[in-house]
């Protein structure tokens, strides 16, 4: 069933690649010869480009992608290495209101709030750093935007499955013979389009080899509308999934799989998040979650976002001081 994302407020920000320092320049892929993901007819492509509008001085844009795309084609684009600083958590203490939250820290590149509703996949809202498409701060009419579905940096789909990424400098991904290879950001599109639960999302990861070349290695946090969550990490070349066992699960930029909780809390941002979620019993609403994110924000934090995994509500706060923006993703 095709569904439309309804904006209930001004949209919001989005800065970036994979959570890093504003001193590290982005390195967009070359525009020439870039394969296209679009499987649109000419009318669908034109309606997609015509939906683009600027909503923030970041600059932030929003666009609705009309028609189909192939998520497995196109050039790989991964953020360059730098001192990353993302903070993510899933608050699952109240199974009727599970929530996913994150700070995204990186350079102030032009960004896009993207609505997609593929014919054979789930509708979703995701955030794209369009500089990695080779698109500049004035993208009107730029057909490279038709590749925007290829590079979501986080998002949530209509089934309440959310995913986000952060740098993990120790991760290594050893190829498994017989599996196709996709970029370490591209995998998020495959998850959002095809997975309704954490179990299904893990299965998507298991079908592919991930390419970390050209950027920092990554690890991932998943959560779904049932209150399940998992960290996906690559340890000694092998993918590992560590499912949440308590009322919350968090991820920063230190390895988490099989690491004792006491050791994890030595990381400052993880420790602050853990203490706040312990006090709340893993039960926080969007305003409380945004307050937790604010407590671990850094000078290069570009935006904070919460995803209501059962309500479909998305709340975003921009680093430019534009206040809170909300979206409503109809859920199935």
């Amino acid at each position: 069933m095709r569904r439309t994302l309804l904006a209930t407020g001004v949209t919001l920000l989005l800065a970036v690649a994979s959570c890093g320092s504003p001193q590290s320049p982005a390195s967009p892929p070359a525009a020439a010869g870039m394969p296209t993901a679009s499987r649109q007819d000419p009318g669908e492509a034109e309606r997609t480009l015509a939906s683009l509008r600027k909503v923030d001085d970041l600059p932030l844009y929003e666009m609705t992608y009309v028609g189909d795309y192939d998520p497995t084609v196109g050039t790989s684009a991964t953020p360059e290495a730098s001192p990353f600083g993302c903070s993510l958590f899933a608050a699952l203490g109240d199974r009727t209101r599970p929530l996913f939250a994150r700070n995204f820290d990186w350079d102030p590149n032009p960004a896009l709030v993207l609505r997609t509703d593929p014919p054979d996949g789930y509708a979703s809202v995701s955030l794209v750093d369009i500089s990695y498409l080779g698109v500049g701060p004035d993208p009107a009419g730029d057909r490279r935007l038709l590749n925007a579905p290829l590079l979501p940096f986080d998002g949530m789909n209509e089934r309440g499955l959310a995913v986000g990424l952060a740098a993990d400098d120790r991760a290594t991904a050893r190829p498994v013979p017989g599996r196709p290879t996709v970029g370490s950001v591209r995998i998020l599109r495959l998850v959002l389009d095809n997975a309704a639960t954490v179990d299904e999302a893990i299965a998507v990861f298991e079908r592919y080899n991930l390419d970390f070349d050209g950027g920092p290695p990554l690890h991932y946090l998943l959560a779904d509308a049932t209150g399940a969550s998992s960290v996906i990490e690559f340890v000694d070349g092998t993918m590992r999934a560590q499912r949440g066992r308590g009322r919350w699960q968090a991820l920063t930029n230190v390895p988490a799989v099989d690491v004792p909780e006491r050791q994890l809390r030595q990381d400052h941002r993880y420790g602050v998040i853990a203490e706040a979620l312990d006090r709340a019993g893993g039960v926080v609403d969007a305003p409380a979650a945004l307050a937790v994110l604010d407590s671990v924000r850094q000078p290069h934090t570009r935006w904070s976002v919460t995803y209501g995994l059962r309500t479909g509500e998305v709340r975003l706060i921009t680093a430019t001081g534009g206040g809170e923006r909300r979206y409503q993703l109809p859920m199935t």
Side-chain angles (χ1 to χ4, degrees):
M1 176 183 297
R2 298 198 61 80
R3 296 190 172 261
T4 303
L5 182 67
L6 304 177
T8 61
V10 191
T11 44
L12 210 266
L13 136 287
L14 203 177
V16 325
S18 158
C19 312
S21 161
Q23 285 75 40
S24 300
S27 180
M34 186 183 202
T36 180
S38 173
R39 295 294 178 266
Q40 301 161 298
D41 63 38
E44 290 171 331
E46 294 309 316
R47 295 207 306 277
T48 296
L49 295 174
S51 73
L52 183 75
R53 68 186 186 102
K54 184 179 178 181
V55 295
D56 191 286
D57 288 335
L58 187 67
L60 176 75
Y61 298 87
E62 63 177 58
M63 187 177 80
T64 298
Y65 193 98
V66 181
D68 200 5
Y69 51 83
D70 183 347
T72 64
V73 304
T75 187
S76 176
T78 305
E80 290 187 341
S82 67
F84 290 79
C86 284
S87 304
L88 306 87
F89 64 86
L92 309 167
D94 183 349
R95 294 303 175 96
T96 67
R97 293 178 296 170
L99 183 141
F100 187 97
R102 73 178 264 135
N103 280 344
F104 201 56
D105 308 339
W106 189 248
D107 302 315
N109 300 326
L112 179 71
V113 176
L114 181 68
R115 307 176 185 90
T116 55
D117 190 0
D120 299 318
Y122 297 122
S124 67
V125 57
S126 61
L127 303 174
V128 180
D129 179 342
I130 59 176
S131 72
Y132 288 87
L133 299 169
V135 177
D138 185 12
D142 195 323
R143 299 188 70 83
R144 289 172 293 188
L145 288 171
L146 300 180
N147 278 334
L150 298 176
L151 294 176
F153 291 97
D154 62 57
M156 177 178 68
N157 68 23
E158 64 180 301
R159 298 301 299 275
L161 187 282
V163 58
L165 53 77
D168 173 13
D169 289 340
R170 300 183 190 179
T172 57
R174 184 171 56 243
V176 176
R179 292 183 183 176
T181 298
V182 298
S184 56
V185 178
R186 185 78 49 80
I187 189 69
L188 272 66
R189 171 53 57 200
L190 297 167
V191 167
L192 290 170
D193 286 0
N194 297 296
T197 65
V198 164
D199 286 346
E200 292 178 5
I202 292 171
V204 171
F205 272 92
E206 291 174 337
R207 290 199 290 270
Y208 294 92
N209 293 315
L210 295 196
D211 179 9
F212 289 146
D213 288 347
L218 303 173
H219 56 182
Y220 308 84
L221 182 64
L222 306 163
D224 69 28
T226 72
S229 67
S230 181
V231 167
I232 299 286
E233 208 160 80
F234 292 81
V235 182
D236 297 327
T238 302
M239 188 196 116
R240 298 281 303 279
Q242 182 162 300
R243 298 168 190 271
R245 295 184 294 271
R247 299 167 70 86
W248 56 268
Q249 191 168 22
L251 188 67
T252 55
N253 302 103
V254 295
V257 171
D258 292 337
V259 177
E261 181 69 14
R262 179 177 297 180
Q263 183 176 334
L264 286 173
R265 291 182 186 227
Q266 293 175 7
D267 176 76
H268 171 71
R269 283 178 287 111
Y270 186 100
V272 171
I273 292 169
E275 182 178 352
L277 294 178
D278 278 347
R279 286 198 306 268
V283 181
V284 291
D285 59 12
L290 289 168
V292 174
L293 292 175
D294 187 61
S295 71
V296 292
R297 69 176 290 108
Q298 301 183 95
H300 55 284
T301 297
R302 300 302 299 166
W303 48 269
S304 304
V305 59
T306 66
Y307 294 102
L309 303 181
R310 287 201 173 186
T311 66
E313 183 184 61
V314 181
R315 297 196 186 193
L316 290 152
I317 293 180
T318 178
T320 59
E324 181 181 293
R325 282 68 163 124
R326 301 183 189 184
Y327 287 100
Q328 183 63 45
L329 178 63
M331 309 299 278
T332 59

